[in-house]
Amino acid sequence: VGVGLVINGRCVHGRMHPEGGHVPVMPLSDDDFPGYSWGKNSSPFRGLHTVEGIASSVALTERLNWDLQKENNDKNGEANDNYNLDRNVLSTLSDDHLVWDHAANALGSLCVTLLLTASIERIILGGGIM
């Protein structure tokens, strides 16, 4: 999850590029997802409760896999780690699928953070999951 900032008509370039995906967010109250694999070793908070750890295509797909495993384990009491969905599955989900609530919460939190820290006037969202 990338963030670009334009202030007074100029791109912001500081010591590094803006890492908006690493901004921590408060998860939804029913969220027990343990975090996504890419962030376990490379992200602050170890891929847990960050914009990227909740709203990236990798995190959303891993959440779907995890939900399927959990649902299957609840039904028959046996562990089943055979789910291995591809990120392309996201394009097949209905607009009211629960996974989008988690993504919307994370992206909305990022927008509020940007508004409160940089007093921005406009937010443009785009990318793979949009």
Side-chain angles (χ1 to χ4, degrees):
V1 175
V3 170
L5 292 175
V6 177
I7 297 178
N8 294 324
R10 300 182 64 169
C11 291
V12 174
H13 294 285
R15 296 180 63 98
M16 56 187 247
H17 63 277
E19 285 284 1
H22 296 302
V23 169
V25 296
M26 181 67 74
L28 296 176
S29 61
D30 62 346
D31 190 2
D32 54 0
F33 178 60
Y36 81 126
S37 62
W38 287 13
K40 296 265 190 246
N41 297 318
S42 62
S43 145
F45 313 112
R46 304 188 51 73
L48 186 62
H49 302 162
T50 63
V51 175
E52 195 167 277
I54 295 173
S56 68
S57 63
V58 172
L60 292 170
T61 304
E62 289 182 6
R63 177 186 294 278
L64 288 171
N65 281 315
W66 184 75
D67 284 344
L68 285 171
Q69 290 170 10
K70 192 170 76 167
E71 182 180 310
N72 186 51
N73 292 348
D74 288 346
K75 284 183 181 174
N76 63 24
E78 297 176 17
N80 184 348
D81 297 331
N82 294 330
Y83 299 103
N84 193 17
L85 300 174
D86 181 84
R87 286 187 278 177
N88 292 328
V89 73
L90 296 173
S91 66
T92 69
L93 299 178
S94 64
D95 290 345
D96 63 350
H97 193 283
L98 181 60
V99 76
W100 300 128
D101 290 348
H102 295 284
N105 176 63
L107 293 172
S109 295
L110 173 62
C111 291
V112 168
T113 298
L114 293 171
L115 175 66
L116 294 173
T117 57
S119 189
I120 57 177
E121 296 175 2
R122 185 174 297 128
I123 297 173
I124 301 170
L125 299 174
I129 67 162
M130 304 304 273

